[in-house]
Structure formats: C-alpha cells, structure tokens
Amino acid sequence: TSEAPPSTTCAEMGLPDLPPLEGDLGFPIDDGLPPVAPGPAAARAGSASPPEISTGKERSVVSPTRSPSMPNVGGGYVPGDTAYAQLATLADNMAVESYSRAHAKVVGKNSSKALGSRARVHREGTVGAMIEDMLTHELKKPVPAALLPLGTDAIAKSIKMAPAVLRLATDLSIPDVELCNTLSKLVKETTKRGELRDELFLITLRHTRCNDDPKSLVRAWQVLHLTCASVAPSQTFLGFVSEYVNECANADASPGPVKDLAHKALLALKRSAKSGARRHPPAPEEIEALQAGRQMNTIAFFLDETFEELPYDVMTTVGEATEALAGIIRLQNYQTFGLFVSTKELMSRSSAASKGEEVTEETRALQDADLITDVIQEMRLVKAERKEQVQLRLVFKKRMFRDTDEAVQEAMFVNLSYLQAKHDYLAGNYPVGREEAIRLAAFQIQAEDGESLGQGPVETLAQVMVRFVPKVMLQQHPVEEWAAEVQRTHGALTQHTREEARGGLLRMIRSLPYGGSIFFQGRRIED
C-alpha cells in the first residue's frame, strides 16, 4: 500500500490561507488539503448565440460500440460517452494546467494514476482525456484545485465546495433536511460570485459519471436535479450539460431511477436557463419541497383586498406565476396584467395624525423573468430589516390600460379593470371637478350596491361616501351635501345593470386627464 503524499501548506507554496465558506456547512471539511497556485483569472467566452437545450424528444440513445469521434478506450458504452467525446472543445474554458499540477502533487510519481488515465472516450495524454478525468466521479478526497480558471478567492471557495458536494453525493446517511440546507449554502456562494455557478455545476455533474455504486449514483442524480433547479450554467457550458443530461435520460443503459431523475434535471435545466442567474439562493424549505415533488404557496392580493394562494417552486418566474394566477381566477385576457410588489409604510394613528398626511403605498412592477423565490427573499429581507414598520405583499393588477380594452367583454377582465380605475381615482391620481366626482360616485354605487344604497336614507349614504369620493375632495363640502347630490344623480342610473355601471365608470375615467395612465413613485434628487 503506497503512502499518501505529504501535504503542502499554503505558506510553503507562497499562497495566503484559504478563507472558509460563509456559514457552517454542517460537517467538518479538511483544511489541510494541499493548495495549488491559481491560474490567471479568465472570463469564460460566451457563444455568439445561446445554445439550444436538448429536449430528448423522439430520441433514444442506444449503446453504441465505437466511432472515430468516440474511441471508447475504456471499454463498453456508458451513458454520457457521446457528450463527453466533445469535451476537448471546452479546453480553453477549463483550468487543465493548474488542475494537472495539483493532481500530480496528490498522486506523486505514480504514472498509472496520471491525469487522463481514467478517460474512457479520449486517448490518454490528450487534453480531452484530462478534462474527462477531471469530470469523472472519484470516491477519494477531491483534488485541491478548481476546474475552471478562477480568481484566488473563487478558487479557495471551489476547493471548499468540492468535498461538500462529494459528501452530499455519496453519504446516504445524510438526512434530506441537511442536504437541502447544505445545497442552499453552496448556491449562496454562486449568487455572490457568478463565476462559481459553472464550477458548482461541474463539481456536481462529475459524480454522476462512472459512479459504480448504484445507490450513490441515484443520490448524485438527485443532487444534480436540485442543482439544475437552483443554478443555471453559463452559455459556455449550457450546451454540454444539456447534451449530457439528455443522453443519460434517454440511454437504454441508464437505470430506471436515473432516467427519471435525468428527465427531471433536464426540465429543471431548461426552466432555470430561461430565467438566468438568481439573486438569492432558494431557501432550504423550497429545495426540500422540490425534492419531495410538491409546490410552495404564497399569497397574491387584488386591489379590493381579496387574495388567492399562488403555487410556485424554486424555478417559477413572475411570468409563469402571472399565467398561473390568471388560470386560477379564470382570466383569459391576462396579457396586460402582472405582479407587483406593494410596499406600505405602517405607523400608529397618533403618528399619522401628527404628520397630517395619509400613508402612501408604493408599487413596483416585477419583470416576467424575475424568479418568485428571489422576490419573496427580498421581501423577507426588507421586512427583517425594518421590523414591523412596513407591509410588503404581492399584488395582481394591470400593467397598462389600452384603447382596445373597451372591446373586451370578459367579466373578470372588466371587473379587475374597474377595481384598478376606482383605486387610482380614489388615490387622487385623476384630477376631477365636483360634478365629475358626483357622477363617478353614482356609477360606483350602482356597480357595487345598487338602489339599496343609492336610493336609501341619505344619512346612511353619507356615512360611506368615503368609499366613492377622494378624501381630499370630500373635505371641501359637508358630507351630507355630497350624499344628497350623489343620490339625485344616481336616480338616473337605476335602470343600468352592474356591468353597465362598471363600463360607464371606465369610459368616464378614460376621458379624464391622465385617464388610463399607470402611476409610479419618483424621488426628487437635488444637487
């Protein structure tokens, strides 16, 4: 039995000590791994056009024998051989030289274990063989070097990440809660250092390649599936990764559980690649829900204070959530609607009275490509920072009013448009005169309450006039005068249906200055 080569400290190689990963990964990591001098930081060259993600439709990968592009020097076919045969094309994006030096320090003078000796589809001694070896599962302690050309700090993080991923992929005693917590912390590193996205992806992927332990192989694919959902590789590696996962998903030689997980990973890869890099790592409970095959739920509000539960997972985008919510409320013409984050400052009544002003609500439109998990994480961070002083929630409303809206007769569309027009009007966004305010109040009463309120006791109507007239205008005259005038105007609308009354208000709002506009908050900056 050969002795392990002596460890070389950072000081002996002239390198600074490696900083630890932020946060405890939940298990000890050997800090005595012999480090290697990092190669120069290099930006990965992206392709001119995004590569297509393999879908595997109408394709079955059988077990090929040999071909000029796939020499199969390692024996019979293993799922992924075809994709791995193209690895040499990624040579410029891999840290082959620095990894080779680190590997040589680990194996010493044992030429039978030289980098590339485990290659299956490339001839030993070639760059392709070395890259193939770098991306092949090994149960031993990982070589202390990054797979990609990274900066010094990123290399240090990569060297810490590799044993963590190895343990996730091979230690079947790890409970699901710990697995999800650890993966969330690993993904957090990629949100701070974008260059680690590809690094984490390749570190995880290699444990699915030539893993001879059936149970460990399935666990490795579970981890890769969760990684595909949590981290999107760059355009440089997207083509290779999708081709590899697709080949394993459709290969006859792949075990059934591997096929199922590879198909899930391919679908997750396709979805995460569309949304791109996430701003925050998914929470452990969100990763755990994905692993269990169930969705999480959040709440989306409407402008009348009603709400619906909105299902989502770690890959759900705002665009997908908007479409899903439209389906839940049976809104067919949802193209002009979207999700917003509403932020409302909270203060005590005495504080509000002392300031002499109303509490305002700010809304921010979310982009379709935003991830719901990112939005929720940011809301949690703001809430934690400002304690109980702010209310944040998701709101579903129109992004824009269009001239063609009048032709849409769908009941849900008209109702939501009516709610938004009324909301903006009562917020004081539309300047109107007294006569216009009286007519708008009459339309609202007929649309919501009908004759029971509009033609009932004036005293009762006076008590609820704040529901139909902006507060600033309501203060200009006694509320009893408002109620009497509105009741007289409402008398001419009693034959209108509620739908007709909503349509009348919308048409009147459109005719006003700024009618149908979308409003947003602005800040004045003075030099």
Side-chain angles (χ1 to χ4, degrees), residues 1-17:
T1 304
S2 59
E3 294 183 358
S7 297
T8 306
T9 65
C10 294
E12 290 172 342
M13 297 189 67
L15 292 175
D17 288 336

Side-chain angles (χ1 to χ4, degrees), residues 161-387:
M161 291 165 70
V165 175
L166 174 63
R167 182 170 182 264
L168 292 182
T170 58
D171 189 347
L172 304 181
S173 67
I174 297 177
D176 289 343
V177 173
E178 183 181 345
L179 186 151
C180 297
N181 278 326
T182 302
L183 186 58
S184 178
K185 291 173 183 177
L186 290 170
V187 174
K188 184 177 181 180
E189 295 297 332
T190 72
T191 61
K192 296 187 206 175
R193 297 174 176 82
E195 64 270 31
L196 287 176
R197 286 165 50 201
D198 288 331
E199 186 76 12
L200 176 60
F201 224 102
L202 295 179
I203 289 174
T204 305
L205 179 143
R206 70 179 171 188
H207 294 300
T208 65
R209 173 71 173 170
C210 297
N211 190 335
D212 296 329
D213 185 334
K215 292 183 179 179
S216 174
L217 177 62
V218 171
R219 169 58 74 87
W221 274 102
Q222 289 175 342
V223 177
L224 182 59
H225 166 227
L226 298 177
T227 304
C228 286
S230 305
V231 184
S234 71
Q235 299 296 338
T236 302
F237 291 94
L238 181 59
F240 160 69
V241 171
S242 65
E243 191 65 34
Y244 171 75
V245 175
N246 175 58
E247 183 179 347
C248 294
N250 293 280
D252 292 343
S254 293
V258 168
K259 280 188 175 184
D260 293 340
L261 288 166
H263 278 294
K264 289 181 180 179
L266 191 62
L267 179 61
L269 182 63
K270 185 176 182 180
R271 291 181 62 192
S272 61
K274 278 186 178 180
S275 57
R278 61 175 69 243
R279 298 190 295 272
H280 303 278
E285 59 268 22
E286 293 169 339
I287 298 177
E288 190 175 359
L290 178 68
Q291 185 182 28
R294 57 183 171 82
Q295 290 188 309
M296 302 286 287
N297 285 295
T298 188
I299 299 296
F301 285 84
F302 302 93
L303 292 176
D304 60 353
E305 297 300 318
T306 60
F307 59 87
E308 286 283 354
E309 281 195 351
L310 178 62
Y312 73 97
D313 60 29
V314 298
M315 299 165 287
T316 302
T317 63
V318 168
E320 292 170 342
T322 299
E323 185 175 355
L325 187 56
I328 292 172
I329 64 175
R330 298 179 182 178
L331 173 65
Q332 296 179 353
N333 297 278
Y334 65 86
Q335 291 76 12
T336 58
F337 288 82
L339 286 171
F340 293 71
V341 170
S342 165
T343 305
K344 185 182 292 186
E345 298 286 343
L346 300 180
M347 59 178 70
S348 64
R349 291 185 179 180
S350 59
S351 176
S354 66
K355 289 190 175 184
E357 58 185 24
E358 296 296 327
V359 176
T360 58
E361 179 182 14
E362 295 184 14
T363 57
R364 174 174 62 88
L366 300 174
Q367 301 301 311
D368 283 346
D370 288 345
L371 290 165
I372 289 293
T373 54
D374 277 346
V375 175
I376 292 174
Q377 292 274 22
E378 287 166 0
M379 291 169 64
R380 287 173 179 166
L381 290 173
V382 173
K383 186 73 174 175
E385 180 183 344
R386 300 170 69 175
K387 307 292 183 188

Side-chain angles (χ1 to χ4, degrees), residues 43-83:
R44 296 185 295 279
S47 55
S49 59
E52 294 184 0
I53 298 180
S54 299
T55 61
K57 292 180 180 179
E58 299 181 0
R59 176 179 177 182
S60 177
V61 180
V62 294
S63 303
T65 53
R66 295 175 66 103
S67 71
S69 61
M70 192 176 70
N72 260 333
V73 295
Y77 172 77
V78 169
D81 276 355
T82 305

